[in-house]
Amino acid sequence: MGVGIEVRGLNAWYGKNQSLNSIDMTVAANHVTAVIGPSGCGKSTYVRCLNRMHETIPEARAEGSVKVGEMDVYGSGSDPVEVRRRIGMVFQKPNPFPSMSIYDNVAAGLKLNGFRNRKQMNELVERSLKLAALWDEVKDSLHKKSGASLSGGQQQRLCIARALAVEPEVLLMDEPASALDPISTSKIEELIFQLKQHYTVVIVTHNMQQAARVAEFTAFFLMGSLIEYDKTEKIFTTPADKRTEDYITGRFG
Amino acid sequence: MPNLSAQSAPQQVGLVRRFTNAGATTFAVAAAILVLVPLLAIFAYLVIKGIGSVNWAFLTQTPKPPGEVGGGMANAIIGTGIILAVASVIGVPLGIGSGIYLAEYGRNRFGDLVRFTADVLNGVPSIVIGIAAYSLVVVPQKHFSAFSGGVALGIMMIPTVARATEEMLLMVPNVIREAAYGLGIPKWRTTLSISLRTASAGVITGCMLAFARVAGETAPLLFTAFGNQFWNLKLNQPTAALSLQVFTYAISPYDDWHKQAWAGALILIVLIVGAVAAVRITTSRGMLKGGS
Amino acid sequence: MSDSVDPMNSTEPLGKLQKPATAIPSMAQVSKERKTAASTVLQKIRTSHPRASRVPDAVFAVIILLSAISVFAIVVLVAWELIDKSRLSLHQFGIGFFYGHDWDPVAGSFGAMPFIYGTLVSSFLALLMAVPLSIGVAVYVTEMCPQRLRAIISFLVELLAAIPSVIYGLWGIFVLAPLLREYVEPFLARTLGWTGLFTGPMYGLGMLAAGIIMAIMVVPVIASITREVMTAVPQNQREAVLALGATRWEMIRMGVLRNARIGIVGGIILGLGRALGETMAVTMVIGNRPEIAKSLFAPGYTMASVIANEFTEATGDLYLSALVEIGLALFIVTLIVNALARLLVWSITGGTARVRA
C-alpha cells in the first residue's frame, strides 16, 4: 500500500538560481497526482526533490520538509540512499541497464540492496513484470535478451517493473511517456491506473490530456511556485487562479 | 562572343584543379601503401625467419652458453609472464581506480591535474621510467629483480588504463546512474555494479591495450629485471624476459642466436597480437550482449 | 536543513493553495495502513541494510581518491628520483654538461652534446619522413577510402604502434641496414653526395637507419591523432566547401585540414615526443658512437641509447649520475613536448568534453 506525502516549505536551487519557491503540498496515498506546468516551471525539480535525486546534480541543493509516510526525507538522520530505496522513480527517457538481461534489470535493485533469496526473487521479478504489464511479452526471453533490446515502450515498462521490484511506497514518474509513441503511451497510462491500487503515484507531465486521463489530483506549477492544487476535474473545469486558466486554455506555455 | 571567354576560363582552371586533385589523391594512396609495406615486411620476416627456430627445445630449454648451438628461451617466456603479471596487478587496479576518479569524482581542479599528469606519464620515455624503478626498487633491494621490472611496466600501464576507463565511464549515459540511484543503490555500488559493468567491454579493451603496449617493452627492463640465463621463478631475483633476450641475441655476433632472436620476436608478437585480437573478440561479444 | 521557509522567496500567496483535504486520508491513517500491509520482502531489505550506505560510500571515495593521487605521486616521485640521483653530476658540471663534447668515462669527463645532437637529428629526420606519410594516410582513410577498407587500414596502422621497439630494432639490423648499405646509400651518395649529408663509408647502420626506423614507429602516432581531429571536423564544413564547387582535394584542404591544423600540429609534436624518448630500436641501428658528423651515413648516439647501453655498466657514482642527468633532461623535454601537444589536441577535440557531451 502506498503512503501519503507531506511537503512543507520546500525550496530548491541550481547553483544560485532558485528553481522552487516554498512549496507546500499534501499528496494523497493510493491516488495518482499529476504535476503540470510549462517547461522550466520546476515540476521535474519538484519530484526529484521528493526522493532526493535533485542533489545528485552538481551544485544543486534543496531545503524544506518532506515527509513520506513516517519517513522524514530531509531529516537530519535521513540517508538519501534509503529514501530512494523506498520511493521508486521512473525517468523521462527509458534507461534500462544495457549490460543486463531483462531479468537482471528487474532484479537489480533487489540484488544490489543485498537480497539473496533466489526463489523469492523469481517471484518478485515475475510479479513486478506482471504489474508492469510486460510479463507476457518477455517471459520467454528473460535471460536471453538484454534490456536494451526491447522497444522504447517495453523499455519504459521494464523500468517501471524495475522500480516496482523493490516494493516502493511511492512511485514518482517524470514524464514517463514523453519519449514514447501513442500506443505505448496508452499502455503506460493504463498501467498507472492499475498501479494506484498499490502505490501512491506522482506523475509529471507536460501533456494536460494525460493528466486529465490518469490523475485524481492535479498540481499546477509556474516559475518554481505551486499555483494551484486541487481535484483534477476542478482544475480543468473551474480553476481558481487566472494563471491556471490561462495555461489550461492554452494561452501560454 | 564575350560569353565564350567567360565560360572557357573556369574550364582551364578546372584542368589545373583536376590535376592537383589527382596528384593529391595519388599521394594519399601512395602514403597508405608506403606505410603498410614495412608492416607487412616486418610480419613476413618474423614468420619466415622465426618459424624455423620455434621448436620444442626453444620452448622448453634455457639458453646454451655463447657459441653453442641449441637451447631455448623457456625461462624468458616464463619470466615475461611473471613480470607482466606483476605489472598487471599494479597497473590495472590503480588505472581503473584513477579512471573512476576522473569520470565520477574528477570534475574539479584536482581531477584536471590528475588527467594532465596521466597524459604526461604516458609520454615519459620508457627508459626514464626504468631509471626511476631502478632507484626506487632496485637500489633499496640491492639487486635486480622481476618485481622491479613489474613495477616499471605497471607504472606504464596506469595512464592507458585510467584514460580508457574514464572515457568509457563517461560514455555511460547519466540516466543509467540515475536509474540506479532511484532504486536506492549507493554510489559505490552504482559505480562498480552498474556504470563500470556497462562500460566493461571498453575498460577491458583499455587494459588489454595497455598490456600489449608493455608486453614488448625492453628499455625499462634493462636495469630492473636485468635478464638471466637460467631459470628463475623468484620475484626478487634477476629474471629473463623475451624482449631482453631478443635484444641480447640480436646484437650478439652468433648466427644461432640471431635465429633465436627472430624466433623470440615471433613469440612476442604472437603474444601481443593475441592480446589485441582477444580485445576485438571480447568487445564484439560484449556489444552483441549489450546491444540489440 | 528542514523547515526553513524563506518568506522572501515565496512569491505566491499560499492562501490560494487549495488543499483537497476531503479526499486525502490523513497521515496518521496512512501510516496505520502502512504498518499492517508492510511487505515482508521490503522489511528484509531494510533491516539488512539499516541506513548503512554512508560509510561504504566514504570508504570507496577514499580508495578511489588514493588511486588518483597515486598517478600524481608517481610522476612527482619519478621527477624527484631523477633530480636526486643526478645531483652529483649537476654540481660537478653545471650547465656545461649540455654543451660539452667530451664523453670519457675513464677520464671522468662527461658532456652530453653528442647525444643531444644525435637525438635531435634522428628525431627531426624521422618527422621529416613521417609527417607527410601520416597526413597522407589520415587523409586517405578519412576522406577517400572505401568504407570497407577504412577499418582495416586503421587497424593495420594501429598495429604498427603495437609492434615492440625491440622487434623494429631486430628488423632494422637484419633487413633494413643491409638494404640501405647495398642499394639506398650508394644511390643517395651518387645523386645527393654533393650536399655533404650523404658521404663517407656506408655501414647501413647509422643516423639514416635510425631516422627511417623511427619514422615508421612515429607514423601511427601522428596518423591516429590526425585522423581523430579530421573526424572531429563537422560534416557541414565539408559540405560548405563542396557546395562552392570545390574538388575533393580542395574540400580536404580548405574544409578539413585547415580546420584541423592545430590538432595535426599537436599530433606531430606528440610524435616528436615519442621519437625523442625512443630507445631500443634506435640503440640497435644507430651505431652508438658519440660523434657529431655531418653525414647521415655516419653512426651517432642518442640520449636514450647511451642510458640503455651504459647504465648497468656505469662504474662510479659520477658516471651513473651523469647518465641519470641525461634521463632527467629527457624527462623534462618530453614533459614540455607532451604538455604542448596535449593542449593543442585538446583545443580541437575538446579534451574530455568530446565524450562528455
Side-chain angles (χ1 to χ4, degrees), chain C residues 125-161:
Chain C
L125 211 55
L127 287 186
L128 206 65
M129 291 179 266
V131 168
L133 280 181
S134 313
I135 295 179
V137 171
V139 165
Y140 179 74
V141 169
T142 45
E143 310 289 336
M144 297 178 176
C145 115
Q147 199 71 41
R148 283 177 295 132
L149 276 180
R150 190 167 291 178
I152 298 172
I153 295 182
S154 315
F155 175 70
L156 289 176
V157 172
E158 263 151 44
L159 211 55
L160 269 180

Short mmCIF file of all heavy atoms in Angstrom, two decimals, chain C residues 125-161:
data_model
loop_
_atom_site.label_atom_id
_atom_site.label_comp_id
_atom_site.label_asym_id
_atom_site.label_seq_id
_atom_site.Cartn_x
_atom_site.Cartn_y
_atom_site.Cartn_z
N LEU C 125 64.84 13.89 -38.54
CA LEU C 125 64.83 13.06 -39.74
C LEU C 125 63.56 12.20 -39.79
O LEU C 125 62.90 12.09 -40.83
CB LEU C 125 66.07 12.15 -39.70
CG LEU C 125 66.72 11.73 -41.00
CD1 LEU C 125 67.09 12.93 -41.83
CD2 LEU C 125 67.96 10.89 -40.69
N ALA C 126 63.23 11.65 -38.63
CA ALA C 126 62.05 10.79 -38.56
C ALA C 126 60.79 11.58 -38.88
O ALA C 126 59.95 11.14 -39.68
CB ALA C 126 61.94 10.17 -37.16
N LEU C 127 60.68 12.78 -38.31
CA LEU C 127 59.49 13.60 -38.56
C LEU C 127 59.41 14.01 -40.02
O LEU C 127 58.33 14.03 -40.61
CB LEU C 127 59.49 14.83 -37.67
CG LEU C 127 59.17 14.61 -36.20
CD1 LEU C 127 59.05 15.94 -35.47
CD2 LEU C 127 57.88 13.82 -36.03
N LEU C 128 60.56 14.32 -40.60
CA LEU C 128 60.61 14.74 -41.99
C LEU C 128 59.96 13.70 -42.90
O LEU C 128 59.25 14.02 -43.85
CB LEU C 128 62.08 14.95 -42.40
CG LEU C 128 62.35 15.92 -43.53
CD1 LEU C 128 61.95 17.33 -43.13
CD2 LEU C 128 63.84 15.88 -43.89
N MET C 129 60.20 12.44 -42.57
CA MET C 129 59.60 11.38 -43.38
C MET C 129 58.20 11.04 -42.92
O MET C 129 57.31 10.75 -43.72
CB MET C 129 60.49 10.13 -43.31
CG MET C 129 61.82 10.31 -44.01
SD MET C 129 62.85 8.83 -43.88
CE MET C 129 63.82 9.23 -42.45
N ALA C 130 57.98 11.07 -41.61
CA ALA C 130 56.71 10.56 -41.07
C ALA C 130 55.55 11.53 -41.28
O ALA C 130 54.43 11.09 -41.51
CB ALA C 130 56.87 10.26 -39.58
N VAL C 131 55.81 12.84 -41.21
CA VAL C 131 54.69 13.79 -41.25
C VAL C 131 53.90 13.70 -42.56
O VAL C 131 52.67 13.51 -42.52
CB VAL C 131 55.18 15.23 -40.98
CG1 VAL C 131 54.11 16.24 -41.30
CG2 VAL C 131 55.60 15.35 -39.52
N PRO C 132 54.57 13.83 -43.74
CA PRO C 132 53.75 13.73 -44.96
C PRO C 132 53.06 12.39 -45.09
O PRO C 132 51.89 12.33 -45.49
CB PRO C 132 54.76 13.94 -46.09
CG PRO C 132 56.09 14.11 -45.48
CD PRO C 132 55.99 14.09 -44.00
N LEU C 133 53.77 11.33 -44.71
CA LEU C 133 53.17 10.00 -44.81
C LEU C 133 51.94 9.89 -43.91
O LEU C 133 50.89 9.40 -44.33
CB LEU C 133 54.18 8.93 -44.39
CG LEU C 133 55.22 8.54 -45.44
CD1 LEU C 133 56.14 7.46 -44.89
CD2 LEU C 133 54.53 8.03 -46.70
N SER C 134 52.07 10.36 -42.68
CA SER C 134 50.95 10.23 -41.73
C SER C 134 49.74 11.01 -42.20
O SER C 134 48.61 10.52 -42.15
CB SER C 134 51.35 10.76 -40.35
OG SER C 134 52.60 10.26 -39.99
N ILE C 135 49.99 12.24 -42.63
CA ILE C 135 48.86 13.04 -43.09
C ILE C 135 48.23 12.40 -44.32
O ILE C 135 47.01 12.33 -44.45
CB ILE C 135 49.31 14.49 -43.36
CG1 ILE C 135 49.75 15.12 -42.03
CG2 ILE C 135 48.18 15.31 -43.97
CD1 ILE C 135 50.23 16.54 -42.14
N GLY C 136 49.09 11.88 -45.21
CA GLY C 136 48.59 11.19 -46.39
C GLY C 136 47.69 10.02 -46.01
O GLY C 136 46.58 9.87 -46.52
N VAL C 137 48.15 9.20 -45.07
CA VAL C 137 47.34 8.05 -44.65
C VAL C 137 46.04 8.51 -44.03
O VAL C 137 44.96 7.99 -44.35
CB VAL C 137 48.13 7.18 -43.64
CG1 VAL C 137 47.22 6.13 -43.03
CG2 VAL C 137 49.30 6.52 -44.32
N ALA C 138 46.13 9.53 -43.16
CA ALA C 138 44.93 10.00 -42.48
C ALA C 138 43.92 10.54 -43.48
O ALA C 138 42.72 10.26 -43.39
CB ALA C 138 45.29 11.07 -41.45
N VAL C 139 44.42 11.30 -44.45
CA VAL C 139 43.52 11.83 -45.48
C VAL C 139 42.88 10.70 -46.26
O VAL C 139 41.67 10.67 -46.50
CB VAL C 139 44.29 12.77 -46.43
CG1 VAL C 139 43.49 13.04 -47.69
CG2 VAL C 139 44.62 14.08 -45.73
N TYR C 140 43.71 9.72 -46.62
CA TYR C 140 43.17 8.60 -47.38
C TYR C 140 42.08 7.88 -46.58
O TYR C 140 41.00 7.60 -47.09
CB TYR C 140 44.29 7.63 -47.76
CG TYR C 140 43.79 6.43 -48.53
CD1 TYR C 140 43.40 6.58 -49.86
CD2 TYR C 140 43.66 5.19 -47.94
CE1 TYR C 140 42.90 5.51 -50.58
CE2 TYR C 140 43.17 4.10 -48.65
CZ TYR C 140 42.79 4.27 -49.97
OH TYR C 140 42.29 3.22 -50.67
N VAL C 141 42.39 7.60 -45.33
CA VAL C 141 41.45 6.82 -44.53
C VAL C 141 40.15 7.59 -44.26
O VAL C 141 39.06 7.04 -44.39
CB VAL C 141 42.09 6.38 -43.19
CG1 VAL C 141 41.05 5.80 -42.25
CG2 VAL C 141 43.18 5.37 -43.46
N THR C 142 40.26 8.88 -43.92
CA THR C 142 39.03 9.58 -43.56
C THR C 142 38.23 10.06 -44.75
O THR C 142 37.02 10.14 -44.69
CB THR C 142 39.31 10.81 -42.67
OG1 THR C 142 40.40 11.52 -43.23
CG2 THR C 142 39.64 10.42 -41.26
N GLU C 143 38.92 10.41 -45.84
CA GLU C 143 38.19 11.10 -46.91
C GLU C 143 38.06 10.33 -48.21
O GLU C 143 37.23 10.66 -49.03
CB GLU C 143 38.87 12.45 -47.22
CG GLU C 143 39.13 13.31 -46.00
CD GLU C 143 37.86 13.88 -45.38
OE1 GLU C 143 36.86 14.00 -46.12
OE2 GLU C 143 37.86 14.17 -44.18
N MET C 144 38.93 9.37 -48.44
CA MET C 144 38.95 8.79 -49.78
C MET C 144 38.62 7.31 -49.80
O MET C 144 38.05 6.83 -50.77
CB MET C 144 40.35 8.95 -50.39
CG MET C 144 40.73 10.40 -50.57
SD MET C 144 42.39 10.51 -51.22
CE MET C 144 42.50 12.28 -51.45
N CYS C 145 39.01 6.60 -48.77
CA CYS C 145 39.00 5.16 -48.93
C CYS C 145 37.60 4.59 -48.81
O CYS C 145 36.74 5.16 -48.14
CB CYS C 145 39.99 4.57 -47.95
SG CYS C 145 39.38 3.56 -46.68
N PRO C 146 37.33 3.50 -49.54
CA PRO C 146 36.01 2.87 -49.46
C PRO C 146 35.72 2.41 -48.03
O PRO C 146 36.64 2.02 -47.31
CB PRO C 146 36.11 1.66 -50.39
CG PRO C 146 37.45 1.71 -51.02
CD PRO C 146 38.25 2.81 -50.42
N GLN C 147 34.47 2.50 -47.65
CA GLN C 147 34.06 2.18 -46.28
C GLN C 147 34.64 0.87 -45.77
O GLN C 147 35.07 0.76 -44.63
CB GLN C 147 32.53 2.12 -46.24
CG GLN C 147 31.94 2.25 -44.85
CD GLN C 147 32.09 3.67 -44.32
OE1 GLN C 147 31.90 4.65 -45.03
NE2 GLN C 147 32.46 3.78 -43.05
N ARG C 148 34.68 -0.13 -46.65
CA ARG C 148 35.13 -1.45 -46.20
C ARG C 148 36.59 -1.42 -45.77
O ARG C 148 36.99 -2.05 -44.81
CB ARG C 148 34.98 -2.47 -47.34
CG ARG C 148 33.58 -2.96 -47.56
CD ARG C 148 33.55 -3.89 -48.75
NE ARG C 148 33.89 -3.18 -49.98
CZ ARG C 148 34.77 -3.60 -50.88
NH1 ARG C 148 35.42 -4.73 -50.68
NH2 ARG C 148 35.02 -2.90 -51.96
N LEU C 149 37.40 -0.68 -46.55
CA LEU C 149 38.84 -0.65 -46.28
C LEU C 149 39.19 0.18 -45.05
O LEU C 149 40.22 -0.02 -44.44
CB LEU C 149 39.58 -0.08 -47.49
CG LEU C 149 39.92 -1.05 -48.60
CD1 LEU C 149 40.65 -0.31 -49.71
CD2 LEU C 149 40.80 -2.16 -48.07
N ARG C 150 38.30 1.11 -44.72
CA ARG C 150 38.61 2.09 -43.68
C ARG C 150 39.04 1.43 -42.37
O ARG C 150 40.11 1.71 -41.84
CB ARG C 150 37.38 2.97 -43.45
CG ARG C 150 37.67 4.16 -42.59
CD ARG C 150 36.53 5.13 -42.66
NE ARG C 150 36.42 5.76 -43.96
CZ ARG C 150 35.48 6.61 -44.31
NH1 ARG C 150 34.54 6.91 -43.43
NH2 ARG C 150 35.45 7.16 -45.51
N ALA C 151 38.21 0.52 -41.90
CA ALA C 151 38.50 -0.11 -40.61
C ALA C 151 39.78 -0.95 -40.70
O ALA C 151 40.60 -0.95 -39.79
CB ALA C 151 37.32 -0.99 -40.19
N ILE C 152 39.96 -1.62 -41.83
CA ILE C 152 41.12 -2.49 -41.98
C ILE C 152 42.41 -1.68 -41.95
O ILE C 152 43.35 -2.00 -41.22
CB ILE C 152 41.03 -3.29 -43.30
CG1 ILE C 152 39.79 -4.18 -43.28
CG2 ILE C 152 42.29 -4.13 -43.51
CD1 ILE C 152 39.50 -4.86 -44.59
N ILE C 153 42.44 -0.59 -42.72
CA ILE C 153 43.67 0.20 -42.78
C ILE C 153 43.95 0.85 -41.43
O ILE C 153 45.08 0.84 -40.95
CB ILE C 153 43.59 1.26 -43.90
CG1 ILE C 153 43.53 0.53 -45.25
CG2 ILE C 153 44.78 2.19 -43.86
CD1 ILE C 153 43.51 1.44 -46.43
N SER C 154 42.90 1.38 -40.79
CA SER C 154 43.12 1.97 -39.47
C SER C 154 43.69 0.93 -38.52
O SER C 154 44.61 1.20 -37.75
CB SER C 154 41.81 2.49 -38.87
OG SER C 154 41.11 3.19 -39.82
N PHE C 155 43.13 -0.26 -38.58
CA PHE C 155 43.60 -1.33 -37.70
C PHE C 155 45.07 -1.65 -37.99
O PHE C 155 45.88 -1.77 -37.07
CB PHE C 155 42.74 -2.58 -37.88
CG PHE C 155 43.22 -3.76 -37.11
CD1 PHE C 155 43.12 -3.79 -35.71
CD2 PHE C 155 43.79 -4.86 -37.74
CE1 PHE C 155 43.58 -4.87 -34.99
CE2 PHE C 155 44.25 -5.94 -37.02
CZ PHE C 155 44.13 -5.96 -35.65
N LEU C 156 45.41 -1.75 -39.28
CA LEU C 156 46.80 -2.09 -39.63
C LEU C 156 47.75 -0.99 -39.17
O LEU C 156 48.84 -1.28 -38.65
CB LEU C 156 46.92 -2.32 -41.14
CG LEU C 156 46.27 -3.60 -41.64
CD1 LEU C 156 46.37 -3.70 -43.16
CD2 LEU C 156 46.90 -4.82 -40.99
N VAL C 157 47.35 0.26 -39.36
CA VAL C 157 48.23 1.36 -38.94
C VAL C 157 48.40 1.32 -37.42
O VAL C 157 49.50 1.53 -36.90
CB VAL C 157 47.67 2.72 -39.39
CG1 VAL C 157 48.47 3.86 -38.79
CG2 VAL C 157 47.71 2.82 -40.91
N GLU C 158 47.31 1.00 -36.71
CA GLU C 158 47.44 0.92 -35.26
C GLU C 158 48.29 -0.27 -34.84
O GLU C 158 48.96 -0.25 -33.81
CB GLU C 158 46.07 0.88 -34.60
CG GLU C 158 45.66 2.27 -34.13
CD GLU C 158 44.16 2.47 -34.11
OE1 GLU C 158 43.46 1.56 -33.65
OE2 GLU C 158 43.70 3.53 -34.59
N LEU C 159 48.26 -1.31 -35.67
CA LEU C 159 49.09 -2.48 -35.39
C LEU C 159 50.57 -2.09 -35.42
O LEU C 159 51.40 -2.63 -34.68
CB LEU C 159 48.81 -3.57 -36.42
CG LEU C 159 48.96 -5.02 -35.97
CD1 LEU C 159 48.13 -5.29 -34.73
CD2 LEU C 159 48.59 -5.97 -37.08
N LEU C 160 50.91 -1.14 -36.30
CA LEU C 160 52.29 -0.64 -36.36
C LEU C 160 52.73 -0.13 -34.98
O LEU C 160 53.88 -0.26 -34.60
CB LEU C 160 52.41 0.51 -37.35
CG LEU C 160 52.75 0.22 -38.80
CD1 LEU C 160 52.80 1.53 -39.57
CD2 LEU C 160 54.08 -0.50 -38.92
N ALA C 161 51.77 0.47 -34.27
CA ALA C 161 52.09 1.02 -32.95
C ALA C 161 52.25 -0.09 -31.92
O ALA C 161 52.88 0.09 -30.89
CB ALA C 161 51.01 1.99 -32.50
#
